[in-house]
Amino acid sequence: MTAIRGSSIREIPTASDFKIYSLTSSTVAPSFVKRRKGAQKKTGVSSVVQDFEFPGSSSYITYSNDQRLIIGVGNYPPQMRIWELDELSMLLQRNMDSEAKKILNLDDDYGKMVLMHYDRYISFHDKGKGHFRFRLPTYGRDMAYLDYSADLLFTLAAPQLLRLSLEEGRFYAPLELPNCTESLCVDVAPEHKLICVTTNSGLAHFVDPRSFEIVNTLNLVSVLEPSVECGIESLCAKFHPSGMKIAIGCGDKLGYFDLRSKKPLSIVEFFSDLPVIDVQFHEDSDSLFCTDSRNIKVFDITDDNDFKMRTSFKPVKPINNICMTGKDGLVFCSSQDTAVLGYYMPELGIAPTWIQSIDLIVEELSQQTVVYDNFKFVSHERIIELGAESLLGTKLLRPYMNGFYMDVKLFNKLNSKTRLSFMEEYMRKKKEEELKLDLPINEEEEDKELLENTQIDERFLHALQNDEQFKDVKLQDIVSATFGEQTETDEAMADKVEANKRKQRSYGMLRSTTF
């Protein structure tokens, strides 16, 4: 990759023309480069927000409701961090007793937050400290907030959907989910508040929030047919901002459904033997982001509700979730790396007001070549020009897309030799062109010219002799009438040709002694 000096923003090479810029610095080297034993990997540092990282890794990140804060949880030690975007710095850090897996923001800022922990605890936090916590009857999987009734919804390692009333401070009777052993993901439609709950058996149940009863069930296994290696668990579901469509993952496939039909509008397959773990809609560009732990894919939603793939890229570390506002080109990912991964995609939207300077950096980056540090990308045609065909198939040339990666030092060495050979070839051709200007006419060309000027087509002469009008006309008269008076005899012409031959032989001897 390439970057501006003093900046960690780098362009990510992709197979399409869709531009993606990484906002996190890291060791910029191809995947085939192995680190030496005992060498420590450099910690990535975000160029967007100061201290935008965790000591170990990040588990989950999200925006606040007013989109002026980013809230994240990670380890180790288990902690929660909040970054203020207007100041581009960390606002607070709060250590916790156990690691959290998800955050729900109940207020516009960070005044009311709910955290789900891996050890079955649910904790409530305000601006000052942790306020209260309680324990679920079994391990929690996911949670969602039903804002119109102030209810929290929990999926568990059990075939149930729990409902906690924050107004009354008590649980309602759980909703029993049939034909499954665990409930995995829960999401609430932003418009009509319909609830979607997915299970480990590949079923998606739709629940009416008023009666808290199942109104419809979708069998994802029979519709999407996920691969056996990835399983049939449905780990993610997300309603479209309009509330009339939903994207649901099942194994390594993602289905896009209209709520009025059980047939999918479109199906996405990852071909990576990894389950789809998160899906998000980008509202302004009408795009869809879906990801497994290793790959992020971006699709355009066409007018006929089909998916058109825009790009796909692989983060430097396995990711846990993706976070975006849907109104700009910034995308953040929690991952197994210390730094929170950030990406900027100008085609999805302009940069937000708190980081408008990134557009100037991206504009300068677009004028540079995308290469890796200490490696040069060369095409197959360039390999032939460098005379390095013998290196094909060796470790010195690593295949990548439609070309190869070569060490920069080796490339510079071959390129310098090639430039010298090109210069020598150019000088040789230039001298030959100058010498050709002084050379006499070629012997064969001269003989051909003499024949064209002294001979007439036999068929033409035969036709003239058979014509009664030209019966008494001699051949010499025809030649003179056609080409003019012949001033030289055949013997004179032969002498001229022989003189030219001698002149050429003498010039060739002179040239061999001079050069």
Side-chain angles (χ1 to χ4, degrees):
M1 299 180 184
T2 185
I4 300 175
R5 187 176 298 275
S7 173
S8 59
I9 298 178
R10 302 174 183 271
E11 183 179 350
I12 300 176
T14 60
S16 62
D17 296 333
F18 191 86
K19 299 293 185 181
I20 302 176
Y21 297 92
S22 174
L23 309 182
T24 308
S25 65
S26 59
T27 304
V28 186
S31 58
F32 55 79
V33 177
K34 297 182 179 179
R35 292 187 293 119
R36 291 177 296 178
K37 292 184 178 180
Q40 296 182 356
K41 185 179 178 180
K42 295 182 179 179
T43 303
V45 178
S46 175
S47 61
V48 181
V49 182
Q50 185 178 4
D51 297 327
F52 201 39
E53 59 186 1
F54 284 91
S57 63
S58 54
S59 302
Y60 188 87
I61 59 169
T62 184
Y63 278 94
S64 61
N65 293 335
D66 59 5
Q67 298 180 1
R68 300 180 64 181
L69 305 172
I70 293 181
I71 308 171
V73 290
N75 59 70
Y76 186 82
Q79 58 185 227
M80 175 179 63
R81 292 187 176 186
I82 301 177
W83 297 271
E84 189 174 4
L85 299 181
D86 292 336
E87 301 295 335
L88 298 179
S89 61
M90 187 168 60
L91 180 63
L92 68 85
Q93 172 184 323
R94 185 173 299 170
N95 290 352
M96 301 179 294
D97 295 334
S98 60
E99 183 182 354
K101 64 188 302 184
K102 189 169 183 179
I103 307 171
L104 280 181
N105 196 2
L106 308 183
D107 203 356
D108 288 339
D109 51 12
Y110 63 105
K112 297 176 184 178
M113 294 178 294
V114 183
L115 277 66
M116 174 179 279
H117 298 261
Y118 281 99
D119 60 351
R120 295 167 50 183
Y121 275 101
I122 301 295
S123 61
F124 294 83
H125 293 255
D126 56 16
K127 291 185 177 181
K129 60 180 180 179
H131 182 67
F132 174 75
R133 71 173 188 165
F134 66 91
R135 202 173 191 187
L136 294 173
T138 183
Y139 292 98
R141 294 291 185 251
D142 196 9
M143 61 179 178
Y145 181 55
L146 200 57
D147 54 0
Y148 88 97
S149 60
D151 291 341
L152 283 176
L153 306 174
F154 302 100
T155 56
L156 312 169
Q160 294 177 343
L161 177 65
L162 289 185
R163 185 178 184 181
L164 172 66
S165 175
L166 297 180
E167 182 180 4
E168 300 181 12
R170 67 182 182 90
F171 281 101
Y172 291 115
L175 175 64
E176 299 292 335
L177 303 177
N179 302 323
C180 68
T181 58
E182 290 185 16
S183 56
L184 298 178
C185 179
V186 58
D187 191 47
V188 179
E191 294 293 334
H192 45 72
K193 309 305 178 184
L194 183 67
I195 303 170
C196 177
V197 185
T198 63
T199 66
N200 64 336
S201 60
L203 298 176
H205 300 287
F206 294 90
V207 181
D208 189 342
R210 299 165 296 180
S211 61
F212 205 57
E213 295 179 353
I214 298 175
V215 295
N216 202 349
T217 300
L218 181 62
N219 191 341
L220 301 173
V221 178
S222 61
V223 175
L224 301 181
E225 299 179 355
S227 63
V228 180
E229 292 80 3
C230 293
I232 59 176
E233 294 182 348
S234 180
L235 300 177
C236 61
K238 187 69 175 179
F239 279 98
H240 191 272
S242 65
M244 296 305 297
K245 299 178 179 65
I246 186 172
I248 308 176
C250 182
D252 62 340
K253 292 187 178 181
L254 180 79
Y256 186 52
F257 296 88
D258 192 304
L259 295 182
R260 296 161 290 187
S261 175
K262 290 188 176 183
K263 294 182 179 180
L265 299 174
S266 183
I267 299 177
V268 175
E269 188 170 359
F270 267 70
F271 301 102
S272 62
D273 295 335
L274 294 172
V276 182
I277 60 173
D278 199 6
V279 57
Q280 296 288 338
F281 287 97
H282 194 277
E283 186 175 0
D284 283 5
S285 63
D286 203 13
S287 301
L288 174 76
F289 282 72
C290 54
T291 175
D292 56 19
S293 60
R294 282 292 187 180
N295 301 280
I296 298 178
K297 294 188 177 184
V298 185
F299 294 90
D300 272 341
I301 303 176
T302 60
D303 295 336
D304 55 353
N305 293 316
D306 196 5
F307 285 162
K308 180 182 178 182
M309 187 170 178
R310 301 193 71 176
T311 189
S312 175
F313 64 98
K314 184 176 181 180
V316 293
K317 288 289 184 177
I319 62 176
N320 298 320
N321 85 303
I322 52 180
C323 167
M324 65 182 71
T325 63
K327 298 180 181 179
D328 52 51
L330 284 181
V331 178
F332 296 105
C333 302
S334 61
S335 70
Q336 301 300 320
D337 199 3
T338 55
V340 177
L341 304 180
Y343 301 96
Y344 179 52
M345 307 175 189
E347 296 185 23
L348 297 183
I350 61 175
T353 56
W354 54 271
I355 190 174
Q356 287 183 343
S357 60
I358 193 176
D359 287 327
L360 299 176
I361 301 176
V362 166
E363 184 179 357
E364 187 172 347
L365 275 175
S366 61
Q367 303 174 1
Q368 302 182 15
T369 307
V370 180
V371 295
Y372 283 105
D373 294 343
N374 303 325
F375 284 88
K376 175 72 175 178
F377 180 80
V378 291
S379 62
H380 190 271
E381 293 77 10
R382 185 61 173 152
I383 292 292
I384 297 176
E385 292 178 1
L386 294 173
E389 299 93 330
S390 59
L391 300 180
L392 294 173
T394 64
K395 293 183 178 181
L396 298 177
L397 291 179
R398 296 286 186 163
Y400 182 78
M401 295 175 64
N402 61 335
F404 303 88
Y405 276 116
M406 177 187 292
D407 188 87
V408 172
K409 294 181 181 180
L410 177 60
F411 173 80
N412 293 335
K413 186 176 181 180
L414 294 176
N415 193 35
S416 61
K417 292 183 178 180
T418 306
R419 286 182 179 178
L420 291 176
S421 61
F422 281 156
M423 183 60 67
E424 293 175 356
E425 182 69 16
Y426 172 77
M427 295 299 295
R428 186 182 64 82
K429 290 182 179 180
K430 195 69 175 176
K431 288 181 179 180
E432 288 183 356
E433 291 177 359
E434 293 176 356
L435 292 175
K436 283 181 180 179
L437 297 177
D438 300 331
L439 287 175
I441 301 177
N442 191 9
E443 178 182 352
E444 296 181 358
E445 294 180 355
E446 186 175 1
D447 293 344
K448 183 178 180 181
E449 183 179 357
L450 293 174
L451 290 175
E452 289 177 355
N453 293 333
T454 57
Q455 294 182 0
I456 301 177
D457 193 287
E458 295 180 358
R459 291 173 297 177
F460 176 64
L461 295 176
H462 183 70
L464 291 177
Q465 291 178 357
N466 292 337
D467 196 337
E468 295 181 356
Q469 297 180 4
F470 302 97
K471 182 184 298 182
D472 299 332
V473 180
K474 296 181 180 180
L475 178 61
Q476 185 64 30
D477 297 334
I478 296 175
V479 174
S480 300
T482 306
F483 300 101
E485 292 295 335
Q486 186 173 356
T487 58
E488 295 181 347
T489 61
D490 294 339
E491 292 79 4
M493 292 181 185
D495 295 339
K496 184 177 181 180
V497 172
E498 186 63 27
N500 287 336
K501 289 182 179 180
R502 289 195 300 271
K503 188 181 295 184
Q504 280 189 346
R505 285 195 295 270
S506 62
Y507 183 81
M509 294 175 62
L510 177 62
R511 183 181 177 187
S512 62
T513 56
T514 305
F515 300 98

